């Protein structure tokens, strides 16, 4: 098993270059592709890497419940991210992760 990235060390600039890239989410039964569609600052926080929000689009045919999932990207590694479903988007089902 691959070691997870320390989320506390991640910054918005780690994700911005990967907008529109596909991340792989490991669900119970399958790998679900998630496209990173939006990377936004989320105001001030005490978090060392700053506060930011990520918006992902997943397949329309499969809705994931709110949970912590292992999400993998070739350049960023594997991260345990808390994803919240936010409903349908133009290109799939939306999921948001907020780092504060």
């Amino acid at each position: 098993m691959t070691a997870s990235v320390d989320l506390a060390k991640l910054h918005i600039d780690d994700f911005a270059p990967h907008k529109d890239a596909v991340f792989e989410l490991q669900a119970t039964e399958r790998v679900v592709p998630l496209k990173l569609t939006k990377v936004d600052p989320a105001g001030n926080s005490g978090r060392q890497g700053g506060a930011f929000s990520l918006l992902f689009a997943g397949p329309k045919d499969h809705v994931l419940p709110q949970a912590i999932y292992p999400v993998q990207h070739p350049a960023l590694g594997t991260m345990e991210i808390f994803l919240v479903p936010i409903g349908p988007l133009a290109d799939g089902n939306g999921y948001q992760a907020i780092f504060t």
Side-chain angles (χ1 to χ4, degrees):
M1 182 172 171
T2 308
S4 289
V5 173
D6 183 354
L7 296 184
K9 295 181 180 178
L10 292 173
H11 189 274
I12 191 171
D13 294 336
D14 294 320
F15 290 94
H18 304 291
K19 184 181 174 291
D20 296 324
V22 174
F23 290 66
E24 291 185 344
L25 178 148
Q26 182 61 57
T28 306
E29 312 87 31
R30 68 183 203 164
V31 173
V32 179
L34 295 180
K35 180 180 177 184
L36 180 59
T37 61
K38 206 169 185 189
V39 180
D40 285 328
N44 297 324
S45 77
R47 188 175 181 279
Q48 187 174 10
F52 60 96
S53 167
L54 304 177
L55 184 63
F56 294 94
K60 291 182 181 196
D61 65 340
H62 189 76
V63 179
L64 298 164
Q66 172 176 302
I68 296 173
Y69 293 99
V71 178
Q72 195 273 331
H73 182 270
L76 297 172
T78 301
M79 301 154 276
E80 296 279 334
I81 299 179
F82 181 66
L83 291 174
V84 177
I86 59 166
L89 301 173
D91 49 355
N93 287 310
Y95 301 94
Q96 186 175 37
I98 299 176
F99 293 74
T100 57

